[in-house]
């Protein structure tokens, strides 16, 4: 197995300075607040040539070099840039990781950011990339050619990068940072020769913290060779096991694992272009032909794709990724292209071609078995398939989560009597409602056809303790209840420790035939002294109140949570 | 003379296997008006004439397509096909958001009727009675358990908040199988229209519903015309369920205004609410006459019935004396800016 290359990059050596005349451009540096002082953390070659060093305070540096162009360190932006480059490195191998490796949980972006925020305390910020190029080098004409291609392209994008290929991750990382580079001879260390290659490197190359390096230097250990020749037990006792682990990892005696940023796809088809493509039609044509080659492999395996990704690698290093999910395993290249086009329309993103794309890739991220369906004489199979394809198309444009179906919930709580589930993911058998004909249908209809979730608070006049509402006001309009049915008491799932109050549902109809489903949350409890006195009195006087006079209704005080409150839950047909 | 002529025409139409035009109304058939008596179409416009031609061409194929009959002769008789045309656009209006339940109920009733019609067709199809049961059981196994095809229900973004979202247990209680319903929440009117059109291009669907709230510029005559033509081509009905919106010119074949009506007590259950009842106003009918009825839905046996309610407000007088202001979908109903906006120099 071979590891590498690892990159030392100075993120701010960007295209700005290369565009301007290198002789007249001012020296550049980066500063950050360290130990309550602004200190330089990175410098370009011109600044170093003028005698500045990393760690110098900014005030001193400005005094020595008045034209120093200093910018404040922005670790977050650095990390984003590094991730963008890591995305771009995807073109060489699917296994790309940030260097130094995450000590936190890998994968999620938050944790990476956390790692960055904490990194000044823990050690170095992430400034390199690790690529596992096992089995990939031959596609680029060998390791040296791959490394050269990568460095050339990165240089073209305006980055100053260094690289090395070695048998272990740590060795590659150390060599890329501290190894002697030569334009004509890239650092490529065959497996098993790490010891010789690393021997002369300083101990800092092992990613030890500065205290350990200083302590080791005090006892005369300065290079890796010094350390490797010492007996291990005293070293471990004095400097901790971490030192030994690092050393073993670099020399290949301990196993290191790389945790890639993205899961490697199951299938990949890609096309590289000597001349960058710009036109959308060309891109679509390429996606179509890539789909055809993927389709061939999938049908040989009897599989279909459920999640696809189209990656467009722009010449300047930007990578655009578009994911397409399907409800039904998919193989047809024309359908893949159609979903891709819908997705682009749905996200309202134009393909920003810039100077063009030099690599277009179609990868299958998730695939499942796709056995051919049995065809029956009635032709229903095609119809069902057309509906499933429709769901895919709608989902590609509007988002899979917005195309939904009703999953019957095993609950009496109205909100979860039915769940909305993505149509693409739902299993047909799970969606079956109890047979309509066998169900003892309740007459009249006991559930509303339009449902308000969350329910809307209403102001109600009702008989205590549990009478139906007499009048209520919803959306600033008052309604006189002509007919009422209830209560239908629906208690929360108390066995799950749900503390919410009981609901008493009423089906009510007003004088003009509007039918509502309203409920009272909580119970009137006689022990409380603030039983709404108005309710009983007003209930008797409601007959003589004029129907247009809204002021008779006393609003249920919203501020008192102990009182029962009334809500509008739905509209009946 | 007139009756002899119409009888003759009917006989010729039957011999030529054409749909009988207004035969069931006993009205004198007028060839020019009979082909397209829509009040909103302008015969002078060349694009409309072309599409009329298209529609007429399509009409000849509708003879295989059974109409969506409401099941009441008083209403069905007003249409040339003796029922709603199955491959056209129909609008169901609830002028207020609080009547959304009633409008949805009427539409659900129509959809149940549609499923019944299609299952009838399946039973009397070319397979014959003996084979058809097998065919329908295949269908039920493949997608949903009901007899009908699945339907697409597209909600525009504000509809769910204002008029409530579609509730599956309610549909189930009403008699419509929720398993057959694919719901979709679009982000804009353009997307709603796109999704409806996309739904019409799929031959597996039984019906397509656009659940739209408020007025929108995008929902103009051109857009509805386009959908209507698509529906004619796909032979699938499109329904617009419009709440809090004014009645606008559209290419709909029929437009129904639905308001709730007081329910009648049931025979065996005197004290509670009765069956769902609505006051139904057919405000537009491309085939001619319009009318007003009070309808009831029997959820147990799944049919509409006409009721005469004592004490209901006679038609023509609005129940609410207020002027209804339509909700605007694109903010165009907002107040105008006052005065002109001036740019001043920054002080100091």
């Amino acid at each position: 197995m071979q590891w590498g290359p690892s990159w030392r990059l100075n993120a701010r050596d960007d295209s700005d300075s290369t565009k301007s005349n290198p002789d007249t451009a001012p020296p550049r540096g980066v500063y950050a607040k360290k130990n309550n002082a602004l200190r330089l953390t990175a410098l370009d070659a011109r600044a170093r040539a003028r005698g500045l060093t990393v760690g110098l305070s900014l005030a001193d540096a400005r005094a020595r070099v008045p034209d120093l162009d200093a910018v404040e360190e922005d670790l977050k932006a650095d990390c984003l840039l590094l991730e963008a480059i890591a995305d771009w490195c995807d073109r060489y191998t699917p296994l790309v990781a940030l260097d130094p490796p995450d000590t936190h949980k890998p994968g999620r972006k938050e944790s990476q950011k956390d790692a960055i925020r904490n990194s000044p305390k823990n050690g170095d910020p992430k400034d390199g990339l690790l690529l596992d190029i096992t089995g990939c080098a031959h596609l680029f004409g060998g390791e040296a050619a791959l490394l050269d291609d990568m460095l050339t392209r990165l240089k073209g994008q305006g980055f100053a990068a260094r690289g090395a290929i070695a048998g272990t991750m740590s060795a590659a990382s150390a060599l890329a940072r501290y190894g002697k580079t030569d334009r004509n001879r890239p650092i490529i260390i065959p497996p098993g020769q790490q010891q010789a290659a690393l021997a002369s490197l300083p101990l800092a190359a092992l990613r030890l913290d500065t205290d350990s390096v200083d302590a080791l230097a005090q006892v005369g250990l300065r290079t890796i060779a010094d350390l490797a020749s010492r007996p291990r037990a005293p070293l471990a006792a004095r400097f901790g096991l971490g030192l030994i682990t690092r050393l073993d990892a670099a020399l290949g005696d301990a196993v290191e694992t790389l945790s890639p940023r993205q899961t490697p796809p199951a299938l990949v088809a890609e096309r590289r272009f000597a001349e960058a493509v710009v036109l959308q039609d060309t891109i679509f044509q390429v996606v179509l032909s890539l789909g055809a080659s993927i389709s061939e492999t999938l049908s040989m395996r009897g599989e279909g794709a459920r999640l696809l990704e189209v990656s467009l690698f722009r010449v300047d290093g930007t990578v655009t990724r578009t994911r397409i999910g399907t409800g039904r395993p998919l193989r047809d290249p024309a359908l893949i292209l159609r979903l891709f086009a819908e997705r682009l329309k749905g996200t309202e993103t134009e393909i920003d071609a810039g100077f063009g794309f030099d690599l277009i890739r179609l990868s299958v991220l998730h695939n499942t078995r796709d056995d051919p369906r049995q065809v029956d004489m009635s032709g229903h199979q095609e119809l069902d398939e057309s509906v499933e394809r429709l769901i895919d198309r709608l989902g590609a444009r509007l988002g899979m989560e917005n195309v939904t179906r009703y999953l019957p919930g095993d609950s009496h709580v109205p909100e979860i009597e039915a769940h909305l589930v993505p149509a693409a993911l739902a299993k047909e058998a799970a969606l079956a409602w109890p047979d309509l004909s066998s169900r003892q249908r309740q007459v009249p209809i006991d559930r509303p056809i339009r449902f308000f979730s969350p329910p809307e608070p209403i102001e109600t006049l009702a008989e205590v303790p549990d009478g139906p509402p007499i009048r209520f006001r919803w959306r600033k309009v008052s309604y006189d209840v002509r007919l009422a049915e209830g209560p239908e008491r629906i208690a929360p799932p108390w066995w799950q420790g749900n503390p919410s109050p009981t609901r008493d549902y009423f089906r009510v109809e007003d004088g003009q035939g509007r039918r509502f489903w309203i409920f009272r949350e909580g119970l009137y409890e006689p022990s409380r002294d603030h039983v709404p006195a108005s309710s009983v009195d007003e209930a008797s006087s409601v007959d003589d109140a004029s129907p247009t006079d809204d002021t008779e209704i006393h609003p249920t005080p919203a501020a008192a949570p102990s009182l029962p409150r009334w809500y509008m839950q739905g509209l009946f047909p | 003379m007139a009756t002899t002529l119409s009888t003759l025409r009917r006989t010729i139409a039957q011999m030529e296997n054409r749909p009988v035009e207004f035969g069931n109304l006993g009205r004198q058939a007028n060839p020019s008006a009979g082909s397209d008596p829509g009040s909103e179409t302008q015969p002078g416009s060349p694009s409309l004439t072309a599409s009329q031609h298209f529609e007429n061409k399509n009409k000849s194929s509708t003879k295989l397509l059974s109409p969506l009959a409401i099941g009441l002769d008083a209403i069905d008789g007003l249409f040339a096909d003796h029922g709603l045309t199955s491959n056209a656009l129909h609008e169901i209006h609830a002028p207020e958001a609080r009547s959304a339940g009633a409008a949805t109920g009427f539409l659900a009733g129509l959809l149940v009727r549609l499923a019944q019609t299609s299952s009838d067709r399946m039973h009397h199809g070319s397979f014959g009675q003996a084979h058809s049961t097998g065919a329908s059981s295949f269908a039920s196994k493949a997608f949903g358990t009901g007899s009908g095809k699945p339907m697409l229900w597209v909600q525009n973004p504000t509809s769910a908040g204002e008029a409530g979202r579609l509730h599956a247990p309610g549909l189930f209680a009403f008699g419509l199988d929720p398993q057959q319903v694919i719901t979709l929440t679009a982000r804009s009117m353009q997307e709603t229209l796109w999704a409806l059109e996309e739904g019409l291009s799929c031959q597996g669907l039984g019906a397509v519903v656009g659940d739209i709230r408020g007025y929108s510029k995008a929902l103009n005559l051109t857009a509805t015309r386009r959908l209507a033509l698509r529906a004619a081509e796909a032979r699938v009905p499109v329904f617009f369920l419009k709440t809090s919106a004014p009645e606008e010119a559209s290419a709909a074949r029929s437009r129904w205004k639905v308001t709730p009506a007081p329910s009648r007590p049931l025979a065996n259950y005197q004290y509670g609410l009765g069956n769902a009842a609505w006051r139904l106003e057919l405000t537009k009918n491309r085939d001619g006459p319009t009318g007003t009825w009070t309808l009831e839905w029997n959820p147990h046996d799944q049919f509409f019935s006409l009721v005469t309610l004592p004490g209901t407000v006679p038609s023509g007088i609005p129940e609410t004396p207020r002027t209804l202001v339509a909700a605007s979908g694109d903010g165009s109903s907002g107040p105008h800016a006052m005065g002109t906006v001036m740019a001043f120099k920054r002080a100091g």
Side-chain angles (χ1 to χ4, degrees):
Chain A
M1 193 182 283
Q2 289 185 318
W3 298 100
S6 165
W7 305 101
R8 172 92 184 168
L9 61 93
N10 187 347
R12 284 172 190 79
D13 266 1
D14 53 13
S15 45
D16 281 6
S17 55
T18 49
K19 258 183 252 164
S20 54
N21 189 350
D23 299 329
T24 56
R28 310 186 92 197
V30 182
Y31 66 90
K33 198 166 187 178
K34 277 188 180 170
N35 300 332
N36 277 333
L38 297 178
R39 288 184 190 280
L40 294 176
T41 55
L43 293 164
D44 73 348
R46 282 184 300 278
R48 259 178 265 127
R50 300 266 296 264
L52 298 181
T53 51
V54 170
L56 198 69
S57 79
L58 181 64
D60 286 350
R62 282 243 165 89
R64 279 192 218 168
V65 183
D67 59 341
L68 176 69
D69 177 13
V71 280
E72 195 174 350
E73 194 169 60
D74 185 353
L75 289 177
K76 212 167 165 182
D78 282 359
C79 184
L80 287 176
L81 180 66
L82 190 65
E83 280 177 7
I85 298 171
D87 272 352
W88 176 82
C89 285
D90 210 21
R91 61 192 287 138
Y92 295 105
T93 164
L95 303 172
V96 183
L98 301 186
D99 184 39
D102 259 324
T103 46
H104 299 255
K105 218 192 237 171
R108 284 183 49 228
K109 270 209 168 141
E110 277 78 15
S111 65
Q112 281 170 3
K113 272 180 205 155
D114 285 346
I116 286 300
R117 214 178 303 131
N118 300 335
S119 56
K121 278 175 248 156
N122 299 351
D124 302 326
K126 291 184 188 310
D127 57 358
L129 295 173
L130 291 166
L131 280 74
D132 184 353
I133 54 164
T134 313
C136 299
H138 70 279
L139 298 171
F140 300 88
E143 287 168 355
L146 188 150
L147 191 58
D148 186 53
D149 179 67
M150 192 179 236
L151 292 176
T152 316
R153 280 176 193 270
L154 280 173
K155 190 160 184 256
Q157 291 171 23
F159 297 109
R162 290 158 57 108
I165 297 178
T168 65
M169 271 191 333
S170 298
S173 170
L175 284 164
R177 286 184 172 80
Y178 294 93
K180 284 207 179 69
T181 44
D182 187 353
R183 262 276 150 233
N184 306 322
R185 271 205 348 201
I187 310 174
I188 297 172
I189 310 297
Q193 296 180 25
Q194 292 96 341
Q195 191 149 6
L198 292 172
S200 61
L201 297 190
L203 284 178
L206 286 181
R207 290 204 163 278
L208 305 174
D209 54 68
T210 39
D211 291 347
S212 300
V213 173
D214 290 347
L216 286 163
Q218 274 182 355
V219 295
L221 302 175
R222 286 169 205 283
T223 61
I224 293 177
D226 295 343
L227 206 59
S229 59
R230 307 296 302 177
R232 301 181 147 223
L235 277 178
R238 173 75 178 77
F239 298 99
L241 206 60
L243 174 67
I244 300 300
T245 325
R246 292 274 165 80
L247 186 65
D248 283 349
L251 299 181
D253 296 331
V255 179
E256 278 177 296
T257 47
L258 179 137
S259 51
R261 297 175 67 246
Q262 283 156 349
T263 32
L267 269 177
V268 170
E270 61 182 34
R271 189 160 299 167
R272 284 156 202 279
F273 304 97
E275 195 78 20
V277 294
V278 177
L279 292 177
Q280 180 163 312
D281 287 345
T282 324
I283 295 166
F284 283 179
Q285 278 304 314
V286 173
V287 171
L288 194 65
S289 76
L290 290 177
S293 67
I294 273 199
S295 156
E296 209 173 293
T297 322
L298 281 174
S299 62
M300 263 196 308
R301 295 188 190 177
E303 286 176 336
R306 291 287 303 276
L307 187 62
L308 290 147
E309 189 180 71
V310 178
S311 321
L312 303 170
F313 291 74
R314 223 161 72 177
V315 177
D316 61 0
T318 313
V319 186
T320 319
R321 291 170 198 274
T322 313
R323 286 194 174 185
I324 317 160
T326 68
R328 215 189 108 75
L330 175 75
R331 292 206 272 259
D332 185 359
L335 281 176
I336 294 175
L337 176 65
R338 180 152 185 203
L339 291 181
F340 171 59
E342 293 293 3
R343 185 83 214 130
L344 284 183
K345 270 188 217 155
T347 50
E348 279 160 17
T349 43
E350 293 270 307
I351 301 177
D352 181 12
F355 293 108
F357 301 100
D358 60 350
L359 169 63
I360 295 175
R361 171 186 290 173
L362 179 68
S363 35
V364 179
L365 301 180
H366 180 57
N367 52 346
T368 49
R369 275 202 76 73
D370 182 23
D371 294 321
R373 291 194 181 183
Q374 187 162 0
V375 179
D376 64 22
M377 295 280 284
S378 63
H380 287 297
Q381 184 220 351
E382 286 79 25
L383 295 188
D384 294 333
E385 200 176 319
S386 76
V387 174
E388 281 164 356
R389 292 293 176 226
L390 171 74
I391 290 170
D392 286 349
R393 283 204 301 279
L394 295 173
R397 173 118 167 223
L398 305 176
M400 275 294 175
E401 66 284 352
N402 289 327
V403 189
T404 45
R405 293 183 69 189
Y406 293 106
L407 177 73
D410 185 18
S411 173
H412 53 271
V413 179
E415 276 92 344
I416 50 175
E417 245 180 307
H419 303 277
L420 278 175
V421 290
L425 304 177
K427 273 207 169 115
E428 199 60 46
L431 297 173
W433 288 66
D435 189 18
L436 280 174
S437 53
S438 72
R439 186 195 177 205
Q440 179 80 43
R441 210 173 281 117
Q442 270 131 28
V443 177
I445 297 158
D446 65 340
R447 286 288 178 271
I449 203 160
R450 313 276 316 200
F451 191 80
F452 295 108
S453 177
E456 298 179 3
I458 53 174
E459 297 156 12
T460 312
L461 186 66
E463 209 176 301
V464 288
D466 53 1
I470 295 158
R471 300 176 76 189
F472 65 92
R473 182 149 56 173
W474 173 53
R475 291 182 181 170
K476 299 177 183 170
V477 180
S478 81
Y479 299 88
D480 285 320
V481 174
R482 187 176 73 95
L483 281 171
E485 248 187 273
E488 179 188 349
R489 180 159 293 181
I490 296 179
W494 45 267
W495 57 92
Q496 291 169 3
N498 192 325
S500 55
T502 303
R503 293 174 175 186
D504 276 352
Y505 278 89
F506 292 91
R507 302 195 289 125
V508 300
E509 184 179 310
D510 79 340
Q512 290 175 346
R514 300 188 186 93
R515 287 166 284 274
F516 304 100
W517 207 36
I518 63 185
F519 71 88
R520 188 189 67 234
E521 190 184 57
L523 303 167
Y524 284 101
E525 292 186 31
S527 60
R528 300 261 163 80
D529 46 17
H530 53 264
V531 170
S534 63
S535 301
V536 187
D537 301 343
E538 301 247 342
S540 55
S541 69
V542 76
D543 291 342
D544 20 272
S546 83
T548 47
D549 192 0
D550 289 350
T551 52
E552 286 289 319
I553 295 180
H554 286 245
T556 314
S562 59
L563 269 180
R565 279 170 297 179
W566 288 82
Y567 292 96
M568 169 68 61
Q569 182 80 85
L571 305 172
F572 282 102
Chain B
M1 178 63 191
T3 46
T4 342
L5 246 178
S6 69
T7 329
L8 238 149
R9 283 212 173 106
R10 209 180 306 169
T11 323
I12 292 168
Q14 274 166 4
M15 280 160 68
E16 288 182 357
N17 223 353
R18 275 194 291 117
V20 187
E21 303 209 333
F22 296 99
N24 43 20
L25 284 178
R27 216 210 241 186
Q28 186 170 3
N30 181 347
S32 63
S35 64
D36 199 344
S39 53
E40 283 163 9
T41 53
Q42 297 119 32
S45 156
S47 63
L48 278 186
T49 346
S51 49
Q52 270 168 11
H53 171 72
F54 177 80
E55 209 163 83
N56 286 343
K57 201 177 71 183
N58 233 288
K59 224 181 207 172
S60 59
S61 65
T62 57
K63 66 172 185 281
L64 288 172
L65 206 62
S66 42
L68 168 52
I70 286 175
L72 298 166
D73 281 340
I75 303 176
D76 290 335
L78 301 186
F79 298 97
D81 296 340
H82 201 78
L84 298 180
T85 319
S86 299
N87 57 349
L89 173 70
H90 302 281
E91 268 183 37
I92 290 142
H93 253 264
E96 303 160 275
R98 56 184 173 172
S99 314
T104 314
F106 175 62
L107 175 57
L110 286 180
L111 292 173
V112 172
R113 294 286 306 169
L114 185 72
Q116 286 168 355
T117 321
S118 64
S119 74
D120 282 354
R121 213 184 322 156
M122 204 179 282
H123 281 280
H124 305 297
S126 56
F127 280 94
Q129 196 68 44
H131 294 276
S132 65
T133 41
S136 66
S137 74
F138 257 121
S140 61
K141 228 184 282 167
F143 203 106
T145 53
S147 45
K149 289 178 180 177
M151 59 196 71
L152 180 70
W153 192 291
V154 187
Q155 271 200 322
N156 86 337
T158 52
S159 168
E162 200 64 21
R165 57 172 207 227
L166 201 64
H167 193 45
L171 288 179
F172 185 68
F174 196 89
L176 195 67
D177 188 0
Q179 194 180 1
Q180 304 285 24
V181 182
I182 301 164
T183 49
L184 172 66
T185 315
R187 289 168 296 190
S188 65
M189 183 57 77
Q190 276 79 11
E191 277 188 355
T192 309
L193 290 172
W194 173 80
L196 290 173
E197 208 176 307
E198 204 64 20
L200 285 174
S201 71
C202 168
Q203 45 178 323
L205 290 182
V208 179
V209 180
D211 189 344
I212 290 153
R213 177 186 171 264
Y215 163 81
S216 173
K217 260 184 199 163
L219 197 68
N220 50 19
L221 192 59
T222 319
T224 51
R225 186 89 190 138
R226 193 178 154 102
L227 274 177
L229 289 173
R230 272 299 174 96
E233 214 174 334
R235 315 182 63 169
V236 165
V238 199
F239 298 99
F240 271 165
L241 180 64
K242 291 176 82 175
T243 50
S244 336
E247 290 193 32
E248 295 167 281
S250 75
R253 248 191 126 69
S254 70
R255 185 182 299 131
W256 305 81
K257 198 173 133 190
V258 187
T259 41
S263 63
R264 296 185 308 163
L266 294 170
N268 51 356
Y269 187 54
Q270 295 286 342
Y271 306 101
L273 274 66
N275 284 338
W278 315 290
R279 218 167 61 81
L280 206 62
E281 216 178 311
L282 178 61
T283 57
K284 180 191 174 187
N285 178 11
R286 283 276 287 274
D287 297 339
T290 57
T292 307
W293 307 271
T294 305
L295 230 65
E296 213 180 59
W297 173 254
N298 184 331
H300 191 266
D301 298 320
Q302 306 195 337
F303 61 85
F304 290 107
S305 54
L306 277 177
V307 282
T308 42
L309 285 167
T312 44
V313 192
S315 64
I317 300 169
E319 290 171 6
T320 33
R322 294 184 302 276
T323 329
L324 291 175
V325 181
S328 67
D330 51 2
S332 57
S333 292
H336 293 284
M338 287 176 69
T340 36
V341 181
M342 301 275 285
F344 289 104
K345 273 187 185 164
R346 188 186 292 216

